[in-house]
Amino acid sequence: MGKVIAVWGTPGSGKTVLSMKLAERLYQTGRRHKVRIVTVLTDVLSPSMPVIFPLYPSDATYSLGSLLAKTTITADDIFSYTTLIKGRDNLGVIGYKENENSRSHPEYTREKAKTFLRTLAENTDYAIIDCMTDPDDSILSETALLEADESIRLMTPDLKCLSYCMSQNKHFASRGYMPPEQITVINTPVQAYAMPVSEIRGHIGKVDFTLPYSPELARQSLEGSVSEETNDRRFMNAVGMIAGKVGER
């Protein structure tokens, strides 16, 4: 049985990028053992597949919405809807496609979401679920956070993040999205963020890891090449520490 890892966080905190890079690091460290990893992009308001794979033809990517609309979901179904990353066997992505939104597919139940996650776990080593900022907007995001073996919450060192946390944390805690063992990560996706990480620690409490600003990652995000390997050793070493944490428990 593989691990389900839920990644979520404040708006603009780099959830999708971390999900992809965490998958990359887990794949690199487990390549000798041929680990199987699937990253699931749950955002149905602003689909991530055309952002992650802008150069892939439309018929080379598949729709998470169409998969969840199936009456039953088998392992074969999941892998037939998985877009494999070029040059890397056993590393793939499922998400919503261009032009899709929350009204593009029939609604699905919490039981369907649980079945999907359970089947993923039974047939992969790691299933990384890139959850929506507000899990209430997605049954799959909500279910992943409640059912995951590990969850990672991202925040950024800026006032907007603090305002969001002050506004939403009480609600999120009441919904069970913030267990004490959740891994908390401060990410710096924008170089212009001026608030020191040490200062934000004083406002939000426990911080397990920090991710430094990465010019190369910023370039990949602009070019649409996030699915490719990252050579920023400092950033990937930090991701490796997170990967070690989720892999050891």
Side-chain angles (χ1 to χ4, degrees):
M1 178 73 75
K3 280 191 172 183
V4 175
I5 303 168
V7 178
W8 72 307
T10 56
S13 58
K15 300 176 291 296
T16 300
V17 171
L18 176 61
S19 296
M20 295 295 296
K21 296 310 175 183
L22 180 60
E24 179 182 321
R25 175 46 60 98
L26 289 169
Y27 176 80
Q28 289 172 344
T29 56
R31 182 179 298 179
R32 180 178 301 176
H33 302 289
K34 298 183 178 180
V35 297
R36 293 172 296 177
I37 303 172
V38 173
T39 301
V40 181
L41 311 176
T42 67
D43 195 339
V44 71
L45 300 181
S46 180
S48 299
M49 290 297 279
V51 177
I52 300 299
F53 302 109
L55 302 181
Y56 281 39
S58 183
D59 59 2
T61 60
Y62 310 96
S63 169
L64 173 61
S66 297
L67 174 59
L68 292 172
K70 296 177 74 67
T71 304
T72 59
I73 299 177
T74 67
D76 287 342
D77 292 327
I78 289 174
F79 292 126
S80 68
Y81 278 80
T82 298
T83 299
L84 293 177
I85 295 177
K86 293 177 180 178
R88 281 173 274 179
D89 296 333
N90 300 328
L91 181 60
V93 183
I94 309 174
Y96 289 95
K97 297 184 62 172
E98 69 277 4
N99 302 320
E100 292 188 327
N101 56 53
S102 59
R103 300 171 185 82
S104 299
H105 302 280
E107 293 184 2
Y108 58 92
T109 64
R110 188 183 309 280
E111 283 305 312
K112 176 68 72 65
K114 287 183 178 180
T115 298
F116 171 67
L117 294 173
R118 183 173 61 251
T119 306
L120 259 181
E122 290 172 348
N123 292 277
T124 62
D125 295 284
Y126 297 100
I128 301 173
I129 316 301
D130 171 27
C131 300
M132 295 183 66
T133 290
D134 187 346
D136 293 345
D137 289 336
S138 163
I139 292 176
L140 184 55
S141 293
E142 176 186 356
T143 305
L145 280 169
L146 295 176
E147 301 287 331
D149 300 293
E150 304 281 357
S151 63
I152 302 169
R153 190 184 190 199
L154 267 69
M155 287 178 278
T156 52
D158 64 308
L159 291 175
K160 184 175 181 180
C161 169
L162 289 179
S163 177
Y164 185 84
C165 291
M166 291 169 62
S167 174
Q168 301 298 324
N169 275 3
K170 186 174 181 180
H171 168 68
F172 288 155
S174 70
R175 298 281 285 168
Y177 302 149
M178 298 171 57
E181 65 273 16
Q182 187 168 78
I183 298 169
T184 304
V185 179
I186 298 296
N187 186 29
T188 311
V190 179
Q191 189 176 23
Y193 284 157
M195 181 178 289
V197 170
S198 59
E199 184 175 336
I200 197 171
R201 283 176 182 264
H203 292 283
I204 64 173
K206 177 180 75 81
V207 175
D208 298 291
F209 301 101
T210 61
L211 293 172
Y213 172 72
S214 170
E216 182 183 352
L217 202 58
R219 175 189 62 78
Q220 285 189 328
S221 298
L222 288 172
E223 294 178 353
S225 58
V226 171
S227 63
E228 298 176 6
E229 290 191 13
T230 303
N231 295 318
D232 186 330
R233 186 170 300 176
R234 182 166 172 250
F235 180 86
M236 290 306 294
N237 283 344
V239 173
M241 294 176 67
I242 300 172
K245 187 75 170 179
V246 299
E248 73 184 15
R249 296 199 294 193

